[in-house]
Amino acid sequence: MDLEGVIGHHPIKKDSWKTVLTLAYQSLGVVYGDLSTSPLYVYKSTFAEDIQHSETNEEIYGVLSFVFWTLTLIPLVKYVFIVLRADDNGEGGTFALYSLLCRHARVSSLPNCQVADQELSEYTKDGVVSPTKTRAGSTLKSTLEKYRVLQTVLLVLALIGTCMVIGDGVLTPAISVFSAVSGLELSMHKEQHRYVEVPVACAILIFLFALQHYGTHRLAFLFAPIVITWLLCISAIGVYNIAHWNPHVYQALSPYYMYKFLKKTQRGGWMSLGGILLCITGSEAMFADLGHFSQLSIQIAFTFVVYPSLILAYMGQAAYLSKHHNLETNYRIGFYVSVPEVIRWPVLGIAILAAVVGSQAVITGTFSIIKQCSALGCFPRVKIVHTSSKIHGQIYIPEINWTLMLLCLSVTIGFRDTKRLGNASGLAVITVMLVTTCLMSLVMVLCWHKSIFLAICFIFFFGSIEALYFSASLIKFLEGAWVPVALSFIFLVVMYVWHYGTRKKYESDVQNKVSINWLLDLGPTLGIVRVRGIGLIHTELVSGIPAVFSHFVTNLPAFHQVVVFLCIKSVPVPHVRPEERFLVGRVGPKEYRLYRCIARYGYHDVHKDDTEFEKDLVRSIAEFIRSERPECDPKIEELESDEKMTVVGTSSSNIKGIRLSEDGDSSEIAGTSELREIRSPKRVRKRVRFVVPESPRIDREAQEELQELMEAREAGMAFILGHSYVRAKRGSGLMKRLVINVGYDFLRRNFRGPSYALSIPHASTLEVGMVYHV
């Protein structure tokens, strides 16, 4: 699967209005499904037990005022007008903010960063040079770079936000589907519906997670119409209830009613804020899904469609409840009681469909953020299946999907009510928002170079609001809020252990790499027989000779005539353009035929399949040989340092360079009379040729080197994987021994290995393990 043509460049800089409106329409089905279904459970969760609906209506008016101002300040002001501007070359989310910070200050969690990575087109946002730095920004940057503990705190903060997003992927489908199904309670006795509600919700959830395997791109065209129908439905019901029951309910939008609410209810009102905050669940999706749309399209969709619909829906519910005070608080104060009985069943059907769409968006977002974490070395390798060859971002992770399903069913069956599900979901939502606020304040200073006073005002204003909701959610710890804390703690431990172990493993590889003097002493033959073929040695090192190579040379009687040290690394940008994919250089003198190739991928990039990758790899080495300038032999000091690397693109991005044709495929050179061919002998099984441009001319030495490379390619390619097993040194502390010897070792053994991640055929793979003590 090759999506590089689709994602190679930053999508759409200046959209036409037709394009913007089309993206806004599509975003309604992907981004706002979760947020639009929040009226199903907000009032029910708020009035669960902390406050009572009285004849004075002070409680219902106060709740409506809180809902209105919360929706206005957090999703509308904070996200739509501020946070959406902090995109990482069009991508959004917690890791996008962390990636921005890593590029503007040396705080990256990736161990094998290079200076060459800073020359990538997307490294500097949109190719624009940053404005003049402020003094406060320079001081903050130097402080972060100086103290390793601050870098760790920043990483842990980003991981906490990520873990809460994963926890939300468990809780949102549960509460959305359960609340939608709860409409059945109005058509049967209370004792009966509790035995129907849970099985129906579980059946829908199982169907939802089973559907992930087939991909959602086939049904995605239905998502936007479903959400639009739902928004029109709740807004129309809201207008009807306002007009029919209480036309003066708009007065409750005044902040004065919030004051009256808290004055009357006091501690109970403060605790009920945990239910009110559910009105903004799904707001983070506006930022997280930014990469699939545009900033303007998401702003238009929320400001002119979603926001007014939600306000009308909440006002309509409040208008109805203000004239009905004889309802059973824990049973019939939900969404469906305000729906006219004539249309209750159709609304129930639309609500279930909208809940499924909203849950689908959260599940897809969970897959996406786990892929980002894995690419940036903060999550063990998992199987990633791309369910669509045309729509970038449609991925499926089997292990995560079934884990989410089991956890989702567990909390649904275990809680069996909206109150505790709401407590759990609320804490996850508000924690992610707090993390976003903290990271945004750093982005303002380090990336936007705004005054530190503005950043303090931002974190104080929005942080105070979110801290108030956070405290109200945390007080419900024993009543369901412990679930996201427990889930996040487990995922945080897994992520940090994997990151710590991976970093220690890389440091041990660096410490044990072989000196260039050892290589020069062996001579061009390396002291052994050089046989035809390409030996591809996978390593995490971006410079130097890995220790595993010396192990092969000293223990094997023969080795390949062409050796390539391959490093597949992730860089802290969402995408690497195809023309900047490879860094190619030499290891040692020319006659040794040792090359280093670094394949760079962004955290949202799609890896090519193994066949296409092999062709691009060989072609990039050939292009390096052709374009290399003849120079005098470098000194040993220069060889010992980082090799001079050349940027080489993929075959699809460099049509003027060398092209590779295999097995007699002549389609590539049709009508190219200005090109000449270097052919290999016809006696071999696989026919390989390089199509080389006439200009510039290449010297005889380069032609011979290309000939050797072709013969080696025809003979075949062997993949050598060196596994460096790390163990804690003797005398290490108990915590370090537990993390390295138990935690990291368990994750390494039970998750995917590097051979699977590279799609390497097992028949041509040689794996050798080496143990290092760290």
Side-chain angles (χ1 to χ4, degrees), residues 10-11 83-104 122-126 287 290-291 372 376 571-575 603-604:
H10 187 277
V83 175
L84 285 182
R85 295 180 57 226
D87 63 295
D88 183 10
N89 289 282
E91 299 293 337
T94 304
F95 257 88
L97 292 176
Y98 181 69
S99 174
L100 273 178
L101 294 172
C102 288
R103 298 209 303 274
H104 286 81
E122 293 198 2
Y123 204 90
T124 302
K125 182 180 177 183
D126 295 330
F287 186 45
L290 182 59
Q372 293 180 37
L376 295 176
V571 290
V573 295
H575 303 292
Y603 55 78
H604 268 312

Side-chain angles (χ1 to χ4, degrees), residues 13 92 100 151 168 290 313 315 355 369 391 396 429 443 456 475 549 600 607 738:
K13 296 290 182 183
L100 273 178
Q151 299 173 21
D168 196 33
L290 182 59
M315 288 177 65
I369 202 166
I391 303 176
Y396 166 69
V429 168
V443 168
I456 291 174
I475 202 69
F549 179 66
R600 301 179 291 181
H607 290 229
L738 285 175

Side-chain angles (χ1 to χ4, degrees), residues 30-31 79 83-84 90-97 165 282-293 298 361-362 364-366 368-369 372 432 436 603-604:
V30 176
V31 178
Y79 279 95
V83 175
L84 285 182
E91 299 293 337
T94 304
F95 257 88
L97 292 176
V165 171
S283 299
E284 187 74 21
M286 286 191 287
F287 186 45
D289 293 330
L290 182 59
H292 298 161
F293 304 98
I298 291 180
V362 174
T364 303
T366 304
S368 178
I369 202 166
Q372 293 180 37
V432 175
T436 300
Y603 55 78
H604 268 312

Side-chain angles (χ1 to χ4, degrees), residues 166-318:
I166 298 173
D168 196 33
V170 173
L171 297 166
T172 292
I175 189 172
S176 297
V177 173
F178 192 86
S179 299
V181 173
S182 66
L184 296 171
E185 68 187 8
L186 298 179
S187 58
M188 58 185 65
H189 294 295
K190 183 177 180 180
E191 292 75 15
Q192 293 176 342
H193 95 271
R194 80 172 52 169
Y195 297 107
V196 176
E197 201 173 28
V198 174
V200 171
C202 290
I204 294 174
L205 288 171
I206 292 172
F207 172 77
L208 174 63
F209 283 99
L211 191 67
Q212 304 303 313
H213 174 70
Y214 301 99
T216 58
H217 59 283
R218 296 180 181 89
L219 299 175
F221 70 96
L222 292 174
F223 288 175
I226 288 173
V227 175
I228 289 175
T229 304
W230 169 249
L231 289 172
L232 289 175
C233 180
I234 61 175
S235 57
I237 293 172
V239 171
Y240 168 79
N241 284 329
I242 294 170
H244 188 264
W245 296 109
N246 189 352
H248 302 288
V249 73
Y250 67 89
Q251 296 175 355
L253 302 182
S254 169
Y256 174 68
Y257 284 89
M258 289 192 291
Y259 166 75
K260 289 180 66 177
F261 170 77
L262 291 177
K263 182 179 180 181
K264 179 179 179 180
T265 56
Q266 296 182 357
R267 188 175 187 273
W270 166 63
M271 294 178 67
S272 69
L273 294 179
I276 294 173
L277 80 87
L278 294 177
C279 70
I280 55 175
T281 180
S283 299
E284 187 74 21
M286 286 191 287
F287 186 45
D289 293 330
L290 182 59
H292 298 161
F293 304 98
S294 67
Q295 178 181 330
L296 184 58
S297 65
I298 291 180
Q299 290 173 330
I300 290 174
F302 181 80
T303 307
F304 296 104
V305 180
V306 179
Y307 178 74
S309 299
L310 291 175
I311 297 300
L312 287 174
Y314 287 116
M315 288 177 65
Q317 283 183 262

Side-chain angles (χ1 to χ4, degrees), residues 682-749:
K682 297 182 179 180
R683 56 187 174 81
V684 294
R685 294 175 301 168
K686 182 187 289 186
R687 184 165 171 262
V688 177
R689 61 182 175 179
F690 289 128
V691 183
V692 186
E694 283 285 351
S695 178
R697 305 284 299 184
I698 57 176
D699 58 22
R700 189 174 193 83
E701 189 178 2
Q703 289 186 22
E704 293 175 356
E705 193 170 357
L706 285 173
Q707 184 74 28
E708 281 191 44
L709 181 62
M710 280 189 301
E711 293 175 359
R713 171 60 176 161
E714 286 182 339
M717 185 178 291
F719 298 86
I720 298 107
L721 301 176
H723 289 294
S724 303
Y725 303 114
V726 293
R727 310 291 294 177
K729 293 179 181 178
R730 290 184 179 180
S732 299
L734 176 63
M735 184 58 67
K736 185 176 181 179
R737 294 201 306 272
L738 285 175
V739 170
I740 297 295
N741 298 346
V742 179
Y744 182 73
D745 188 64
F746 173 82
L747 295 175
R748 182 186 57 79
R749 292 177 184 274

